[in-house]
Amino acid sequence: MLAIVLGMVIVICGVLFLRMHAFLALFFGALAVAAATSSLSVSQSVLHRSTAGIAEIDGAQIVLADVEEGLAKEPGAYYIAIDAPAVKAHQELRLVWVERFVEEDGITKANVAQELPGEINVANARFVSQDTFREAQQLAGNSSINRVVNALGSTFGKIGILIAMASIIGQCLLASGAAERIVHGIRHALGERWTALAFVISSFVLAIPVFFDTVFFLMLPLAQAMAQRTGRDYLKYVLAIVVGGTLAHSLVPPTPGPLFVATELNVSIGAMILGGIGVGIWGVVAGYLYMLWANRMWQIPLRIEAKEAISEEPSAERDLPSFGFSVLPIVIPIVLLGLKTVSQTALPATTNEVWNSAITFLGDKNIALSIGALLALATLFCKPAMTWVGLGKSVQKALSEGGVVVLITCAGGAFGEMIRQTNIGAAIAESLPSSVGGTGLLITAFMITVIIRVIQGSATVAMITAIGIVVPVAMQIGLPFHPVYLALAIGCGSKPLPWMNDSGFWVISRMSGFTEKETLKTFSVLLTIMGLVSFLATLVFAILLPMA
């Protein structure tokens, strides 16, 4: 526990007080946790999630109890170990060969190749595969820096390509004018009366591949132009952008926070997208209603000169790509990911091997985002007067910006892995009451994320830090529902109570011309309401539609 506290102090103080880059703060935090963790705890962190207890030994059959999810249940070499996590001496291990596992009335039994003596003390015995035991011993023998570096590399392998492709999609949509076309298309479809709703939908769609700050910069000039033309409702237009974009930033991949959380919980990107949209829409509705109420309560004037960054002139729109072409880089990856998720979870197994192979390949998260990046490049390449040199510069800019995000996210992955290696999951799971399983764990995950968010400000860092604490507990307790709900609870927890230590707070305040007090009573309250309502929706869906 002291190792985790030390790491969190380094991360929070580094970001909040020393103004340290998030990558450095997370990296040094991970290194400190790794150095302060004993080799025994590292070994336990592997074995506790990959072993089973032994209820009884009956000749050549071992009756297992408390079977952890990490136990492979495949034929092969296994150890019967007394207090397996603490075992170091070879003579305390008994090697057996399991021929097959049998499930009878919910009880798992292992049939072994030889008769076992009855004097084995099964009260303290654990059952673990030989490969897992060796992996635990090898990991425990690695140096602190090697464990951190390996965790960095592992995280990059999971999400590095995804973030790079998402950065290319976002940059190309902006540079080609496709983002502008999406805004214009949705606004024209709904009409000027529903301009605020058009802003909500546009910012939600754009925030899926584009970071929220960029979406806000993109759409704010249009909000200012509308307020200047009508002479009212400036607050409504600004909050409409926030309502649409902020929840997508924390709930819908491929933005880094939800992407990382989904990856750590082994939730498919398609399931996370569908789940994020499913619970996020309730937060959007609540935010929209608060936006209308706030706009009636406070009339905040447009204090800065409106900028025509997104022109409303028809002549300017003629130079933009078509609406259908503009949304393809966003829609196609979502469709491919969704098809794979639905195919694997909801549809019966098909005998068509060609279809299975095609869906498996095209629905892979890296392939789907790569296809989206190619389509985004096509929108930019079709822009008038675009050259190969200009295309290359746009890609270079996207990868430069995305590279920083990759570094931060990978450092966060290393930090979370070092927290898991302290074996905190088993310690917390044993100390928590049994009621914490299920919805109690969702509430715990939500509250942990909220606390970290309030302390250090960054929603993404809060999600990355919280997942390192929550995942080991979830693995020990077990989940009676799909892990996507745990991922969504963490995403919702990254929204409430933004204040002066949040960079987004200052972006909204300074760019919009709001005072600090106005930003607190509008933006901060809005995000808190949206986070709470989305979390309540997550709880309801987890209870009514567990999908366990």
Side-chain angles (χ1 to χ4, degrees), residues 108-249:
T108 303
K109 300 178 181 180
N111 294 335
V112 298
Q114 69 270 33
E115 292 279 336
L116 296 174
E119 67 270 12
I120 297 177
N121 182 11
V122 297
N124 297 317
R126 299 295 294 176
F127 191 73
V128 57
S129 74
Q130 187 181 53
D131 290 341
T132 300
F133 189 86
R134 288 176 177 173
E135 176 190 343
Q137 298 301 94
Q138 182 179 4
L139 183 63
N142 284 345
S143 65
S144 301
I145 186 62
N146 280 344
R147 287 188 280 122
V148 172
V149 170
N150 289 338
L152 279 166
S154 175
T155 306
F156 179 84
K158 295 175 182 177
I159 62 175
I161 294 176
L162 298 177
I163 294 178
M165 294 304 169
S167 298
I168 291 174
I169 293 173
Q171 175 60 32
C172 290
L173 290 181
L174 294 173
S176 66
E180 295 182 26
R181 170 58 74 185
I182 292 172
V183 175
H184 283 303
I186 294 175
R187 180 167 168 256
H188 288 172
L190 295 176
E192 188 167 319
R193 179 184 176 187
W194 299 100
T195 296
L197 181 59
F199 284 2
V200 171
I201 298 173
S202 300
S203 57
F204 188 89
V205 172
L206 292 176
I208 294 175
V210 181
F211 297 135
F212 172 70
D213 289 357
T214 306
V215 173
F216 190 77
F217 294 148
L218 172 72
M219 296 191 62
L220 181 62
L222 186 56
Q224 293 171 343
M226 286 297 301
Q228 188 177 57
R229 191 169 71 182
T230 61
R232 57 186 174 83
D233 294 337
Y234 179 53
L235 175 61
K236 180 171 74 173
Y237 295 134
V238 172
L239 292 186
I241 301 172
V242 177
V243 167
T246 186
L247 276 181
H249 180 73

Side-chain angles (χ1 to χ4, degrees), residues 53-369:
I54 299 178
E56 179 186 359
I57 294 179
D58 182 13
Q61 190 173 70
I62 302 173
V63 181
L64 303 180
D66 301 323
V67 181
E68 301 292 347
E69 292 184 6
L71 188 69
K73 297 184 186 178
E74 295 179 353
Y78 285 77
Y79 282 131
I80 297 176
I82 307 301
D83 293 328
V87 168
K88 291 184 179 180
H90 178 72
Q91 60 267 25
E92 296 184 51
L93 303 174
R94 179 181 292 273
L95 182 66
V96 296
W97 184 267
V98 176
E99 295 179 331
R100 66 191 180 100
F101 285 88
V102 180
E103 298 283 345
E104 294 180 358
D105 299 326
I107 298 175
T108 303
K109 300 178 181 180
N111 294 335
V112 298
Q114 69 270 33
E115 292 279 336
L116 296 174
E119 67 270 12
I120 297 177
N121 182 11
V122 297
N124 297 317
R126 299 295 294 176
F127 191 73
V128 57
S129 74
Q130 187 181 53
D131 290 341
T132 300
F133 189 86
R134 288 176 177 173
E135 176 190 343
Q137 298 301 94
Q138 182 179 4
L139 183 63
N142 284 345
S143 65
S144 301
I145 186 62
N146 280 344
R147 287 188 280 122
V148 172
V149 170
N150 289 338
L152 279 166
S154 175
T155 306
F156 179 84
K158 295 175 182 177
I159 62 175
I161 294 176
L162 298 177
I163 294 178
M165 294 304 169
S167 298
I168 291 174
I169 293 173
Q171 175 60 32
C172 290
L173 290 181
L174 294 173
S176 66
E180 295 182 26
R181 170 58 74 185
I182 292 172
V183 175
H184 283 303
I186 294 175
R187 180 167 168 256
H188 288 172
L190 295 176
E192 188 167 319
R193 179 184 176 187
W194 299 100
T195 296
L197 181 59
F199 284 2
V200 171
I201 298 173
S202 300
S203 57
F204 188 89
V205 172
L206 292 176
I208 294 175
V210 181
F211 297 135
F212 172 70
D213 289 357
T214 306
V215 173
F216 190 77
F217 294 148
L218 172 72
M219 296 191 62
L220 181 62
L222 186 56
Q224 293 171 343
M226 286 297 301
Q228 188 177 57
R229 191 169 71 182
T230 61
R232 57 186 174 83
D233 294 337
Y234 179 53
L235 175 61
K236 180 171 74 173
Y237 295 134
V238 172
L239 292 186
I241 301 172
V242 177
V243 167
T246 186
L247 276 181
H249 180 73
S250 292
L251 294 178
V252 184
T255 46
L259 175 63
F260 178 78
V261 170
T263 302
E264 290 296 289
L265 287 168
N266 292 320
V267 175
S268 71
I269 304 302
M272 189 66 185
I273 290 174
L274 295 175
I277 294 174
V279 303
I281 194 67
W282 297 100
V284 168
V285 171
Y288 189 81
L289 294 176
Y290 174 78
M291 174 198 75
L292 297 177
W293 177 84
N295 188 62
R296 289 196 298 269
M297 288 293 296
W298 306 296
Q299 286 298 320
I300 299 178
L302 175 63
R303 301 187 178 104
I304 53 182
E305 184 179 355
K307 299 177 182 179
E308 295 291 340
I310 300 181
S311 173
E312 297 190 55
E313 295 297 325
S315 59
E317 290 193 43
R318 284 198 295 267
D319 296 332
L320 302 178
S322 67
F323 182 81
F325 195 27
S326 298
V327 298
L328 280 180
I330 302 173
V331 172
I332 293 300
I334 293 176
V335 169
L336 292 175
L337 292 167
L339 278 175
K340 182 178 180 181
T341 300
V342 171
S343 178
Q344 291 178 340
T345 59
L347 298 180
T350 177
T351 56
N352 191 327
E353 294 184 5
V354 176
W355 169 259
N356 285 337
S357 299
I359 289 298
T360 301
F361 177 76
L362 296 176
D364 178 84
K365 55 188 179 182
N366 292 305
I367 297 298
L369 266 292

